[in-house]
Amino acid sequence: MDSERNGGTAVCPGSYDPITMGHLDIIGRAANVFDNVVVGVVDQPVRKQKTIFSAQERVAFIEAEVAEYPHVQVKPFDNLLVEFAREHGAKAIVKGLRAISDFEYEFEMNQLNRKMAPDIESMYFMAAPEFSFLSSSGVKELAMFGGDISGLVPDRVAARLKEELRR
Ligand code: PNS
């Protein structure tokens, strides 16, 4: 990790159901740039089906992976993203972009968030090529049909996912 960071605080928001290696790559890269990173875990995503894991468990999965970074915190939230960012004094919201298919949704979110909070800048980190195909929903689908998800999510997440989907 780089020792020189001076970007203030950034929020990395998401449903993280569950966290993937692609998410962790974005969080790690944000942690290289910003003084503090708050990973915001949406309690109950509005546009998605019920989550597989509770917010508490999704937070715990991420905490275990970022434990070595004292300037990265993980918090659940159930209010507007921009309010959550304000509560933490964040200047920026950082998200990952994988493909053009992400763009339309993120563009809409960007405009809504900008309207409410023009002072908070949304920034987009391009997914690393090795993660550009990776999504939580893809991982869940693979796991559901017995596919190999090792290397796509942290080991403890893979184990819990298999356990959960076996039910
Ligand atoms: O794609 P994700 O991971 O489900 O994204 C979640 C989030 C919060 C990043 C996205 O929905 C967003 O940018 N929302 C902005 C609007 C808002 O504040 N909604 C309330 C969230 S609790």
Side-chain angles (χ1 to χ4, degrees):
M1 173 156 320
D2 297 345
S3 55
E4 291 199 10
R5 310 182 305 266
N6 57 10
T9 298
V11 164
C12 288
S15 307
Y16 300 114
D17 186 45
I19 185 90
T20 68
M21 293 314 205
H23 292 133
L24 286 169
D25 181 56
I26 300 291
I27 294 166
R29 286 158 60 190
N32 279 336
V33 175
F34 291 90
D35 299 313
N36 294 295
V37 172
V38 182
V39 181
V41 177
V42 179
D43 198 342
Q44 189 52 64
V46 179
R47 297 196 191 196
K48 297 186 174 168
Q49 293 171 332
K50 197 179 173 323
T51 57
I52 288 199
F53 298 108
S54 68
Q56 201 185 5
E57 196 166 10
R58 283 177 278 140
V59 166
F61 286 148
I62 305 170
E63 274 175 345
E65 300 305 314
V66 301
E68 63 190 284
Y69 305 132
H71 65 300
V72 180
Q73 291 172 279
V74 190
K75 302 249 166 94
F77 72 102
D78 60 7
N79 51 349
L80 281 173
L81 172 57
V82 290
E83 282 172 6
F84 177 74
R86 280 230 170 83
E87 284 164 17
H88 291 87
K91 293 202 286 193
I93 293 168
V94 171
K95 292 180 166 190
L97 268 191
R98 287 162 303 189
I100 297 174
S101 50
D102 281 343
F103 181 81
E104 203 171 335
Y105 171 72
E106 292 303 345
F107 192 69
E108 180 189 342
M109 288 299 144
N110 182 294
Q111 304 297 317
L112 293 173
N113 290 335
R114 181 192 300 267
K115 180 136 182 47
M116 291 183 286
D119 52 316
I120 300 175
E121 195 60 58
S122 292
M123 302 172 73
Y124 301 88
F125 287 7
M126 292 297 161
E130 62 269 36
F131 302 127
S132 59
F133 65 94
L134 185 53
S135 67
S136 299
S137 47
V139 168
K140 282 184 276 196
E141 190 168 332
L142 280 191
M144 204 173 289
F145 291 94
D148 182 11
I149 55 168
S150 54
L152 303 181
V153 293
D155 290 346
R156 75 187 76 209
V157 174
R160 276 287 293 123
L161 201 49
K162 280 181 202 153
E163 207 175 82
E164 208 53 43
L165 293 173
R166 219 179 290 131
R167 289 188 189 176

